[in-house]
Each structure stands twice: as structure tokens, then as C-alpha cells.
Amino acid sequence: MFKPDKEDILEIDAGFENLMHIGLVANNIKVGVIGAGKASLIKTKTFLKAGCEVEVLSPRFDKGFRRLRCECLKLKKEKFHKSFLKDKHIVVIGVSNKKLEKRIIWHCKRLNKLYLVCSDYKLGNLRLGAQERTDEFVFSLSIKRGNPKLSKYLTQKTLNFLQSFTIFCNWATNLREKLKHHPQKDQILEFVCSDDFYYFFKKGYANKVIKLFYEDV
């Protein structure tokens, strides 16, 4: 009988706090926001800033929505109807009516939507981490038990650290593109992405060290 190797047996934490961050190609993502209070406004700004297409559905709108100017934003002054969910990849639920909130969650589950509940993050299957981006990096950070202000503070600390690697990141990424069809691509990149090689990079010897080990690069 086949017996799996120990390395193939994964221990899975089934708890909600076992978060997994994914990278969305934002300009291909449609977001539906239901409710137009302050919490929904914050989430709307986050998705718009990333480049998502956002449609907000509500019978009333916080004045902050009226000040938003973005061609990717659509405001629809109506009550909730389940057809609103049809073409949305992600749903933000920001309503104060608990009965309506439960009904929207039920529809989202039935339609296999990714959904975020503003009143209580534990009710949804999606959380937005604090995010930062530069020309070379995009990253997100979340506190497992929930603490947005701390996430934002630590994200800035992380950004300051990562920025010291900006030049190296640009160089290594250009090298990866150059090695696209090289037979030893994976081996070379493994060699480059290490503390030992980064030491020589900072000293200005990156190209010489590469040539020393891989003459045809």
C-alpha cells in the first residue's frame, strides 16, 4: 500500500486567524460595496487606490462618497438586491441592519463570493491588510487577531526596511528576465537570492561574482 512521505503531510490550522495573503491583479477585479457609511468609504478608497472597479449600492451615501472622483467608481442609489452580486469578485458588506447583513452573507456564501463584513471581520472570508507599494515592491501585512492601527504602523516599519533592498531588487529582477531561457536559471537565481551574494552586491562585485561562477551569463 502507498504510504506518503512525512514531508507530504501538511498540518492545517482550520482557525479563521490562519490568514493567507494573495496578490490580486486589481484592474481585473470588480468590487461591490453594499452600504455607504464611513467603514464602506474607507474600504472603497482602498480598492480604488489599488485600481479595482468599484460599484457602491446604498439608498443613502456618506458625504465622503460625493467627494470621490474616479472613473472606476460607480454609485447606485438603490436598496440591496441579490442581482447586484452577480458580476462581483469581491463584496464589502457595510450595512447596519443585522437582518440584512445576514441575508447578504447567505447570498455571498451561496454564490462563492469573497466577502468582507465591516461590522465584524470574523463574519467574512476576507480581510484587507495594511498595504504599501513602491516601484519594486507591493506587500500587505495583517495582525492575525485584528489590529488595523498596529498593522499600519508595522507596515511603515517594514517599508523602511525593504526600501534598502530596492536597487538589489531591480538588479535581480532584470537578471531573472535575462535568464528566461537559460538552462541553469533556477540554480543561478538561488545563488543570487542569498545573504552571501547580497554582501558582494553591496560591495559592487555582483557582476564579477556571477561571471566567476557562471561564465555564460
Side-chain angles (χ1 to χ4, degrees):
M1 183 182 291
F2 172 75
K3 293 184 179 180
D5 294 333
K6 287 185 178 180
E7 304 89 67
D8 294 331
I9 301 175
L10 301 177
E11 293 184 7
I12 300 174
D13 181 357
F16 178 86
E17 291 159 0
N18 185 29
L19 296 173
M20 181 183 75
H21 283 195
I22 59 175
L24 300 173
V25 181
N27 57 318
N28 291 332
I29 299 297
K30 292 184 178 181
V31 179
V33 180
I34 305 165
K38 291 183 178 179
S40 294
L41 179 61
I42 292 171
K43 300 297 187 294
T44 297
K45 287 180 178 179
T46 299
F47 283 113
L48 286 175
K49 186 178 179 181
C52 298
E53 183 179 328
V54 182
E55 185 174 6
V56 185
L57 178 72
S58 179
R60 294 173 298 278
F61 287 85
D62 183 273
K63 61 183 180 181
F65 279 95
R66 298 299 180 186
R67 291 196 291 265
L68 289 179
R69 294 290 180 268
C70 181
E71 60 182 20
C72 294
L73 173 64
K74 182 178 180 181
L75 303 181
K76 185 176 283 189
K77 196 172 184 179
E78 296 178 14
K79 291 184 178 180
F80 171 73
H81 46 88
K82 66 179 182 180
S83 60
F84 176 76
L85 305 174
K86 187 177 180 181
D87 64 339
K88 307 303 188 298
H89 300 103
I90 295 173
V91 179
V92 176
I93 305 171
V95 299
S96 56
N97 184 313
K98 291 298 178 183
K99 187 175 181 180
L100 176 59
E101 182 183 84
K102 288 182 180 179
R103 183 158 70 94
I104 298 170
I105 290 172
W106 185 85
H107 283 301
C108 286
K109 287 181 177 178
R110 186 168 172 267
L111 295 170
N112 295 315
K113 300 293 183 179
L114 288 172
Y115 62 97
L116 183 159
V117 183
C118 294
S119 67
D120 184 352
Y121 71 85
K122 292 182 180 179
L123 296 176
N125 61 9
L126 171 70
R127 280 169 60 183
L128 285 180
Q131 300 177 44
E132 281 290 351
R133 64 182 63 230
T134 70
D135 290 342
E136 298 295 335
F137 305 107
V138 178
F139 70 96
S140 177
L141 187 149
S142 294
I143 305 301
K144 290 178 73 174
R145 290 184 292 147
N147 193 331
K149 290 190 181 299
L150 180 58
S151 295
K152 187 175 181 180
Y153 169 72
L154 293 178
T155 297
Q156 188 59 52
K157 291 287 187 182
T158 304
L159 176 62
N160 293 340
F161 171 73
L162 286 176
Q163 283 179 328
S164 66
F165 292 91
T166 296
I167 297 174
F168 176 64
C169 180
N170 180 271
W171 182 90
T173 303
N174 288 338
L175 176 66
R176 183 179 184 273
E177 293 172 355
K178 181 181 176 182
L179 296 174
K180 187 173 182 179
H181 301 294
H182 196 286
Q184 292 179 287
K185 172 188 171 184
D186 291 341
Q187 182 182 332
I188 296 170
L189 292 177
E190 189 77 25
F191 173 69
V192 165
C193 298
S194 66
D195 289 340
D196 288 339
F197 185 84
Y198 183 61
Y199 170 83
F200 289 108
F201 178 85
K202 288 191 295 182
K203 296 293 185 181
Y205 300 134
N207 292 324
K208 288 183 179 180
V209 171
I210 283 284
K211 289 292 184 182
L212 182 64
F213 288 89
Y214 303 98
E215 295 180 359
D216 59 340
V217 175

